[in-house]
Amino acid sequence: MTGDARQARARTNHTEDTNRRMLRARDAMDCRFAEPLDLAALAAIAHVSESHFSRVFKATFGETPHRYLQRRRIERASSMLRETQLSISDISTAVGFSSFATFTRTFGQIMSETPTAHRRHGGDHGRRRGAGRDRRDPHARRAGCGTG
C-alpha cells in the first residue's frame, strides 16, 4: 500500500469514527430529548470537546445541536398535542422546556403556528398550506428509546 493510500484510508477511518460519534450524540438527543442535555453532556457522549462537537455536528447534520434538540422536542410536542388532552403547559414541560414562553416561541418558529392552533387543526393546518416545517426524522424511533 502506498503512502497516499494509507493516508486516504486513515482519513476514511477518521471520518467514519467522527460520524459514529455524532450519531451516538444524536441518538441520545432522540432518546432523551426531555432531559436537560447541554453542550457539555452531548460532547461527552461523543467523546470530543464542546467546540469541536458543535462545529462537527452542524457540518454533519446541517443544524446546530441546540436547534436539533429543539426540533425533536417540538416534533414530540406536536404529536402530543394531536394525541393527548394534556394541557399545553404540561406538554411543554414533558418535552423538556423549562420556560413556557420559550416553548411557544420555538413551536411557532418550527411549526409556523401556535400550539393552540396546531391542536385545533389536528396538526394539518400548516402542512396543508405548505407553511409547516415538520420534518420527520425517519430514524426517530430507535431501539431502546420508547418515544418518537
Side-chain angles (χ1 to χ4, degrees):
M1 186 180 289
T2 67
D4 289 341
R6 273 194 292 276
Q7 287 178 338
R9 186 173 179 178
R11 277 193 303 273
T12 298
N13 289 341
H14 176 73
T15 300
E16 288 173 357
D17 181 57
T18 299
N19 287 343
R20 274 192 294 277
R21 291 169 186 258
M22 294 303 113
L23 285 168
R24 193 177 309 133
R26 190 180 77 171
D27 287 348
M29 286 189 263
D30 288 342
C31 291
R32 298 168 29 203
F33 61 86
E35 298 175 21
L37 293 170
D38 61 9
L39 196 58
L42 294 168
I45 291 167
H47 302 288
V48 296
S49 72
E50 292 178 38
S51 59
H52 184 71
F53 174 74
S54 187
R55 186 174 52 256
V56 174
F57 188 95
K58 184 171 183 178
T60 303
F61 299 114
E63 61 189 336
T64 65
H66 177 71
R67 188 59 174 181
Y68 180 82
L69 185 57
Q70 283 185 321
R71 188 170 53 78
R72 291 297 295 132
R73 288 173 171 167
I74 295 302
E75 287 171 351
R76 181 64 184 138
S78 169
S79 182
M80 291 175 77
L81 286 165
R82 289 189 315 269
E83 299 168 4
T84 73
Q85 293 304 312
L86 290 172
S87 73
I88 295 172
S89 178
D90 287 345
I91 290 172
S92 166
T93 302
V95 299
F97 281 89
S98 57
S99 163
F100 183 71
T102 300
F103 167 74
T104 302
R105 179 176 35 80
T106 304
F107 193 96
Q109 289 171 346
I110 292 173
M111 302 301 289
S112 299
E113 64 184 348
T114 66
T116 302
H118 190 76
R119 174 172 268 170
R120 189 176 327 122
H121 297 107
D124 291 333
H125 188 323
R127 280 190 294 274
R128 193 172 349 143
R129 289 187 0 230
R133 294 178 294 173
D134 185 9
R135 298 172 296 183
R136 299 277 177 209
D137 180 353
H139 306 289
R141 292 194 185 271
R142 292 195 166 92
C145 285
T147 60

